[in-house]
């Protein structure tokens, strides 16, 4: 099995059986996000304490890339500081727009490197991340990829 096939398999797995899916009743932050281009709609819930993401969940509907990205994002960011979260968003955005892994270890998030070959799918992959950032910034408007 090639690396590309393995990556596709992981995206399909997380798209069909997302981790950390569902409402987080003890959330300190929550936010809605929408990708009008393909209709993805997500709600991100964050339990943040003393600058650390203690828990992170999401719910909503979307394409496999959008749901898989939200699922892997929640797995990756639990226990991270807000600074680490911001840095990871920047690295993830670089990965999905260029297809090249940044100088830092991306772990399972590397599966999204192929998204760069399909620019219209970048918005699907980054929706959860933009929604998370909007939640942490207490942005009053729903996050959107437009």
């Amino acid at each position: 099995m090639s690396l590309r096939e393995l990556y596709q398999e992981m995206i399909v797995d997380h798209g069909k059986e997302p981790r950390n899916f569902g409402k987080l009743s003890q959330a300190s932050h929550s936010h809605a996000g929408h990708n009008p281009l393909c209709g993805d709609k997500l709600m991100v819930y964050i339990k943040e304490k003393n600058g650390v993401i203690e828990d992170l969940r999401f719910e909503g509907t979307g394409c496999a890339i959008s749901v898989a990205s939200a699922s892997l994002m929640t797995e990756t960011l639990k226990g991270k500081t807000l600074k680490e979260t911001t840095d990871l968003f920047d690295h993830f955005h670089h990965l999905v727009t260029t297809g090249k892994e940044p100088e830092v270890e991306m772990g399972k998030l590397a599966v999204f490197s192929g998204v760069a070959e399909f620019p219209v799918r970048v918005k699907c992959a980054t929706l959860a991340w933009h929604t998370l950032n909007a939640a942490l910034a207490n942005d009053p408007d729903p996050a959107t990829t437009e």
Side-chain angles (χ1 to χ4, degrees), residues 39-90:
D40 304 331
K41 290 185 177 183
L42 298 175
M43 189 75 176
V44 172
Y45 303 95
I46 308 157
K47 183 179 180 187
E48 177 259 329
K49 187 174 180 184
N50 298 323
V52 175
I53 294 179
E54 291 186 343
D55 202 359
L56 181 59
R57 298 182 64 80
F58 78 101
E59 59 184 0
T61 59
C63 67
I65 290 174
S66 179
V67 173
S69 179
S71 177
L72 284 159
M73 177 190 77
T74 62
E75 282 192 334
T76 303
L77 296 181
K78 282 185 183 180
K80 300 277 193 250
T81 66
L82 297 180
K83 169 74 170 117
E84 290 170 320
T85 298
T86 302
D87 290 346
L88 265 171
F89 171 77
D90 292 340

Side-chain angles (χ1 to χ4, degrees), residues 14-33:
H14 277 266
K16 286 184 177 178
E17 295 183 39
R19 283 45 157 199
N20 303 302
F21 188 85
K23 191 171 185 172
L24 179 61
S25 60
Q26 302 289 322
S28 56
H29 305 277
S30 62
H31 209 80

